[in-house]
Amino acid sequence: MTFDLSEEEKIESPQGSEENIKSEILTVNMGPQHPATHGVLRVEIKTDSEIVTEAISHIGYLHRCFEKHAENIDYRGVIPFVDRMDYVAAMNMEHGYVMAVEKLLGTEVPRRAEYIRVLVAELQRIASHLMFFGTYSIDLGAFTPFLYAFQEREFILRIFEELSGARLLYNYIWIGGVWNDITDGQLKRLSGFCDKMEREIDKYHNLVGLNKIFVERTARVGVMDEDLCYDYGLTGPILRGSGVKWDLRKDRPYSIYSEFDFDIPVGTGEHGVLGDCWDRYWVRMREMLESIKIIRQVLEGIEAGPVMGKVSKIIKPPKSEIYLRTECPRGELGYYLIADGGKVPYRVKVKSSCFTHVSVLSAVAPGLMIADLVATIGSIDIVLGEVDR
Amino acid sequence: MHEELVQIINGAVPEAKAQLNSAEIGDSSITVDSSAIYKVCETLKNNDKFNFNVLQVISGTDFLPEGEEGYLELAYILASFTKNHEVIIKTKLSRGSDDNLPKIDSLCKLWSAANWLERETYDMIGVDFVGHPDLRRILTSSNWEGHPLRRDYVVQEIFNGMVVNPPEKMNLEDQQFGVKTNADSLSNKNPMGI
């Protein structure tokens, strides 16, 4: 194919350019079935050639009205439903809900059960961040990292399968403790996993995070500063990526997190601007290392004992209400629970971090290239099950 | 902390008539008058000592005791990420009717997060947020009828020409696996004590 330069010059020349080249706003639908939207999210994009001028998110394709279901089932029956919100971090979902109910009941949870809870929650955090790492690479056009990430994630899912019988939706953390005890053999395998995982994360970062193409695609893209985060209520790795040292596990400790020693990684803007996609990626990678630190301390500190506390057969919290938030892989998850003294919760309201995170898209998108919008959506790391609930 | 907040609110916005609901179990909350919600939130956001800079939740609950008129309760949960506080602000609204939804001021000018949270509350509970720039349904379809989290909500029968929950497709207990006795015997031996 020949390329006629003189033709191109003719178009760019001032004469006739206004007549021949017309600029028009084009509406493009991204989704709902689009691999780059991580589920059934539809983003209506108004584009001026490659540049996004407006992005309107449409959600609700996965809406099951979990909150209505919860009004009709007893307190234990809600646990499998909360699993299905963020289905790649189900352990963290259960942990928050169960703690809220226990607070109302005043249940004492055995030490060993608390340790196991922290252990599975941190393992789930690693698995979830690995999922982010894999799918984000695919978003940016690299397929191989996905296979690396899923190899390690598979180990965690195997452990969870042995513990609970399920690979994704566990129903493992119960009111009063956990369903099943962990064996010494499993703890030993986890200790080996920790050593391996540290090396792996280093490898991933060298393979992907420092890759020139990856840096070019993510640095200075989708910048969210601190004020924007507060304005939209963004939490978790996004807030930390913007340089705010805020982690509920440290700042409002729940469970037994106050006993562990770990750091809060924050974004530094070392490859671009503070709060860009690369910072969010880097925060998640370092969070995995911190999770490994916590897991090591759990493996050292865990003692023999029961894994289920004393809970009455019928759970009936007194008339009360509670708002409890926990730090999940994707951000803060809050349960606002209203009990009326009956067998079923009167109201379970979930503060979903993903829901608020999607809402920020319309503020960040204008001015981005379409490909950069894909990179931004990927870096927010949403799970539509939690957005729509 | 709550007593101090009540004083701050009543000092700055007397019409809010803030009251403390202290709880021994769970969380305490503050009830304010619904007409003053914007000013109350503005006061709390701009307060130097507490600085509630993040709007976390807008939640609606329908209280409908049998034989009574009932009311809606909105809970605004604010959090401070700089001073590490969190507070539940509650307000009561009448239940209204389908064509006359209860009204309350929108907080969109204070927090952008309020945009979607209010849309969700409108969709699920049916509250009209006055001053909201784009009050549409968000989780359900735009032509859906009713507000699912109301206690007297009945699912519409026909939606876009389709039958909603057709009986032959419902997973009713006696149709599950085609064995009626199975379901019955299961519920008798329920290990969870439901």
Side-chain angles (χ1 to χ4, degrees), chain A residues 7 18 24 36 77-78 106 109 122 164 168 216 289 294 313:
Chain A
E7 273 295 316
E18 280 175 25
E24 204 179 323
V78 175
V109 182
E122 292 309 313
S164 69
L168 276 180
E216 293 284 321
L289 292 174
I294 298 175
K313 245 185 164 182

Side-chain angles (χ1 to χ4, degrees), chain B residues 79-150:
Chain B
S80 162
F81 279 46
T82 47
K83 314 279 186 206
N84 201 355
H85 293 299
E86 136 191 324
V87 69
I88 304 175
I89 304 287
K90 282 184 175 181
T91 178
K92 278 182 190 176
L93 291 172
S94 68
R95 293 183 79 248
S97 61
D98 273 352
D99 29 301
N100 184 25
L101 294 174
K103 287 184 171 40
I104 192 166
D105 285 339
S106 164
L107 298 185
C108 285
K109 281 179 197 144
L110 284 179
W111 289 285
S112 304
N115 190 324
W116 276 35
L117 294 174
E118 285 175 357
R119 277 176 70 187
E120 192 197 345
T121 314
Y122 161 69
D123 190 359
M124 291 287 120
I125 268 291
V127 177
D128 187 0
F129 289 92
V130 181
H132 191 287
D134 181 26
L135 196 64
R136 288 178 291 135
R137 285 182 179 269
I138 189 165
L139 291 172
T140 59
S141 191
S142 58
N143 52 348
W144 193 257
E145 287 167 19
H147 303 282
L149 287 180
R150 292 237 177 173

Side-chain angles (χ1 to χ4, degrees), chain A residues 130-144:
Chain A
L130 281 174
M131 181 90 176
F132 157 80
F133 171 76
T135 51
Y136 195 42
S137 310
I138 289 190
D139 285 349
L140 301 177
F143 186 74
T144 323

Side-chain angles (χ1 to χ4, degrees), chain A residues 56-61 63 65 67-68 71 74 76-77 103-105 174 226 229-235 239 244 246 251-252 313-314 318-325 332 334 336 338 343 345-347 349-351 355-356 358-359 362 387-389, chain B residues 23 25-29 45 53-65 73 75 77 79-86 88 90 110-114 116-117 119-121 124-125 136 138-140 148-153 190-194:
Chain A
I56 307 160
S57 326
H58 297 270
I59 61 169
Y61 293 90
H63 180 56
C65 212
E67 289 168 10
K68 188 77 180 174
E71 287 175 5
D74 70 339
R76 284 191 180 99
K103 275 240 168 97
L104 292 185
L105 286 171
W174 278 12
E226 193 182 334
C229 287
Y230 291 146
D231 193 20
Y232 276 89
L234 309 182
T235 49
L239 185 66
V244 182
W246 175 269
D251 292 301
R252 298 176 80 87
K313 245 185 164 182
I314 297 169
K319 197 170 187 300
S320 54
E321 61 179 51
I322 189 167
Y323 179 63
L324 190 126
R325 18 181 200 150
E332 283 178 18
Y336 180 47
I338 300 180
K343 279 189 209 170
Y346 193 79
R347 177 89 165 90
K349 163 78 189 173
V350 178
K351 185 256 163 186
F355 182 81
T356 38
V358 179
S359 72
S362 55
V387 175
D388 296 339
R389 304 186 297 280
Chain B
I25 307 164
D27 287 336
S28 306
S29 58
K45 189 186 177 187
N53 55 354
V54 175
L55 174 67
Q56 289 243 320
V57 177
I58 299 178
S59 157
T61 313
D62 186 6
F63 287 93
L64 187 60
E73 188 181 79
I77 303 181
S80 162
F81 279 46
T82 47
K83 314 279 186 206
N84 201 355
H85 293 299
E86 136 191 324
I88 304 175
K90 282 184 175 181
L110 284 179
W111 289 285
S112 304
W116 276 35
L117 294 174
R119 277 176 70 187
E120 192 197 345
T121 314
M124 291 287 120
I125 268 291
R136 288 178 291 135
I138 189 165
L139 291 172
T140 59
L149 287 180
R150 292 237 177 173
R151 287 275 154 172
D152 54 357
Y153 169 72
N190 197 329
M192 310 270 283
I194 300 165

Side-chain angles (χ1 to χ4, degrees), chain A residues 322-337:
Chain A
I322 189 167
Y323 179 63
L324 190 126
R325 18 181 200 150
T326 55
E327 188 74 38
C328 287
R330 278 170 188 73
E332 283 178 18
L333 175 83
Y335 285 100
Y336 180 47
L337 203 73

Side-chain angles (χ1 to χ4, degrees), chain A residues 204-274:
Chain A
Y204 297 164
H205 186 55
N206 287 324
L207 183 73
V208 175
L210 298 177
N211 183 306
K212 185 146 188 345
I213 303 172
F214 183 84
V215 174
E216 293 284 321
R217 285 291 308 273
T218 54
R220 295 190 186 81
V221 169
V223 180
M224 301 178 195
D225 60 12
E226 193 182 334
D227 290 337
L228 187 84
C229 287
Y230 291 146
D231 193 20
Y232 276 89
L234 309 182
T235 49
I238 301 183
L239 185 66
R240 289 191 282 275
S242 306
V244 182
K245 220 176 165 95
W246 175 269
D247 190 319
L248 286 180
R249 292 174 292 170
K250 266 266 198 287
D251 292 301
R252 298 176 80 87
Y254 55 91
S255 194
I256 49 167
Y257 275 110
S258 53
E259 296 171 20
F260 298 119
D261 172 40
F262 60 99
D263 296 328
I264 308 170
V266 289
T268 50
E270 56 187 279
H271 282 274
V273 195
L274 183 67

